[in-house]
Amino acid sequence: MPRKLSTLDPQRLDNQICFAVYSAAHAFNRVYKPLLDRLGLTYPQYLVMLVLWERDDVPVKDIGERLFLDSGTLTPLLKRLEAAHLVKRTRSSEDERQVLIALTPQGHALKEKARSVPPSILAASDCSVSELVAMKDEIVALRDRLNAVIGE
Amino acid sequence: MPRKLSTLDPQRLDNQICFAVYSAAHAFNRVYKPLLDRLGLTYPQYLVMLVLWERDDVPVKDIGERLFLDSGTLTPLLKRLEAAHLVKRTRSSEDERQVLIALTPQGHALKEKARSVPPSILAASDCSVSELVAMKDEIVALRDRLNAVIGE
DNA sequence: CCAGATTCAATTGCGAACAATTAAATGTGA
DNA sequence: TCACATTTAATTGTTCGCAATTGAATCTGG
């Protein structure tokens, strides 16, 4: 007989908050896909564009800190965005170690086309804005606590 | 001047619940990594093992429905678990289309070694069980609403 | 001034994740 | 029965995500 009731079993899949988060992330990805296809972006590329729409001409490292991604992920992704003529990569003249990422005119223009994305996601969430904001804040707080123990 | 205050701007990264979920999933992954390294598992492999520890001798499709993954992801992953002698893949005799996944003795035994994982995650979450359960239920409900609109 | 440490991006290699296709087995209706 | 559709895994190709390493530029202490 099992040591614990399954609803309390810490090794049960449905009791894992990590799986809830993992599977929700994939569900978001699938909802975003058709919307982003029309923009010619993948979801991680869309996140990079959100960062750059707030402020561009920033080094790769800044984007990485914002999105919790490293150069192994960002370098090839940014090269693809450059190949799509959405960004320009130029080595900084003040510090030759840095590569600055700037939006092209097309990159700036895409922000307008992307304006319909968040409302579509909101609709798919089938949830009030205030509920979503509350959930977001809780999830961000959890994420930050997890990230805090990574260097323990 | 910007059209909206940034705290309300739907195109601002920090206002995206999807990014909260996405970045929390990666944070979980990083916390799990050192724990799972000792078991010789990656995080998605750990999820498959959680499914199989509940019930094994199941077709690939069942695992996929449980984890929201398809054969393109699972086939190579299961081959790696087989190479690690944790599962055995055998074609069903009743329905030759299906490949049944069964745990090996080592696969069963790993469940005991994995028992320390959930408490470590709980500790890293720095949060009460009841709060985590409440968050999990909210996230699962959101995930299910998102998945519901995928075939719209 | 300069040797050694640090920072930054790029690279390599591996394991997901998924779309699209393929091939084989099974199910179905006329 | 048998042509045709459906189901199931496997395969192929592209893109992430990260660990580990490399190499160049910059910083720092003596």
Side-chain angles (χ1 to χ4, degrees):
Chain A
M1 90 183 219
R3 252 191 342 284
K4 295 197 182 200
L5 290 173
S6 69
T7 52
L8 295 175
D9 183 350
Q11 281 189 300
R12 195 174 157 77
L13 179 70
D14 290 341
N15 291 341
Q16 311 289 323
I17 189 171
C18 63
F19 176 62
V21 171
Y22 168 91
S23 55
H26 290 311
F28 268 119
N29 217 327
R30 286 181 212 113
V31 172
Y32 268 104
K33 180 138 205 332
L35 304 172
L36 296 181
D37 277 350
R38 283 183 272 162
L39 304 178
L41 295 175
T42 65
Y43 179 68
Q45 288 169 6
Y46 174 67
L47 291 181
V48 169
M49 294 302 286
L50 286 177
V51 170
L52 293 174
W53 287 330
E54 290 180 20
R55 186 160 66 90
D56 71 333
D57 246 320
V58 292
V60 174
K61 186 175 198 297
D62 286 20
I63 301 173
E65 283 175 356
R66 200 75 198 285
L67 300 179
F68 306 99
L69 296 173
D70 68 4
S71 69
T73 300
L74 288 173
T75 296
L77 187 155
L78 290 166
K79 284 183 178 176
R80 284 187 283 270
L81 288 180
E82 187 175 46
H85 307 106
L86 295 173
V87 307
K88 198 169 48 173
R89 300 160 61 247
T90 45
R91 221 157 253 284
S92 165
S93 51
E94 291 125 41
D95 185 343
E96 296 264 337
R97 291 170 302 183
Q98 296 183 343
V99 169
L100 299 178
I101 308 299
L103 291 168
T104 62
Q106 295 103 302
H108 279 292
L110 198 64
K111 182 174 186 179
E112 300 310 306
K113 288 188 212 151
R115 200 177 294 149
S116 63
V117 172
S120 299
I121 296 299
L122 180 60
S125 301
D126 189 25
C127 189
S128 75
V129 173
S130 61
E131 283 176 297
L132 285 177
V133 168
M135 277 185 72
K136 172 184 70 67
D137 289 343
E138 283 184 80
I139 296 167
V140 164
L142 173 61
R143 175 198 75 195
D144 291 345
R145 290 196 301 273
L146 291 172
N147 278 333
V149 300
I150 282 177
E152 62 252 59
Chain B
M1 91 181 215
R3 251 189 345 282
K4 296 197 177 196
L5 290 173
S6 68
T7 54
L8 296 174
D9 184 350
Q11 282 188 299
R12 194 173 159 76
L13 179 70
D14 290 341
N15 291 341
Q16 312 288 322
I17 187 171
C18 62
F19 176 62
V21 171
Y22 168 91
S23 55
H26 290 311
F28 268 118
N29 217 327
R30 286 180 213 115
V31 172
Y32 269 103
K33 181 138 205 332
L35 304 173
L36 296 181
D37 276 350
R38 283 182 272 161
L39 304 178
L41 295 174
T42 65
Y43 180 68
Q45 289 169 5
Y46 174 67
L47 292 181
V48 169
M49 294 302 286
L50 285 177
V51 169
L52 295 173
W53 287 330
E54 290 181 21
R55 187 160 66 90
D56 70 333
D57 246 319
V58 292
V60 174
K61 185 174 200 295
D62 286 20
I63 300 174
E65 282 174 357
R66 200 76 198 284
L67 299 179
F68 307 98
L69 297 173
D70 68 5
S71 69
T73 300
L74 288 174
T75 295
L77 187 155
L78 291 166
K79 285 183 178 176
R80 284 187 282 270
L81 288 181
E82 187 174 46
H85 307 106
L86 295 173
V87 306
K88 198 169 50 173
R89 300 159 62 248
T90 44
R91 221 156 256 282
S92 164
S93 51
E94 291 124 44
D95 185 341
E96 296 264 337
R97 291 171 302 183
Q98 296 184 343
V99 168
L100 300 178
I101 308 300
L103 290 169
T104 62
Q106 295 103 302
H108 278 291
L110 198 64
K111 183 173 186 179
E112 300 309 307
K113 287 189 213 149
R115 201 176 293 150
S116 63
V117 172
S120 298
I121 296 300
L122 180 61
S125 301
D126 189 24
C127 190
S128 76
V129 173
S130 61
E131 282 177 296
L132 284 178
V133 169
M135 276 185 73
K136 171 185 72 67
D137 290 343
E138 283 184 81
I139 296 167
V140 164
L142 174 61
R143 175 198 73 194
D144 291 345
R145 290 197 300 274
L146 291 171
N147 278 333
V149 300
I150 282 176
E152 62 250 60

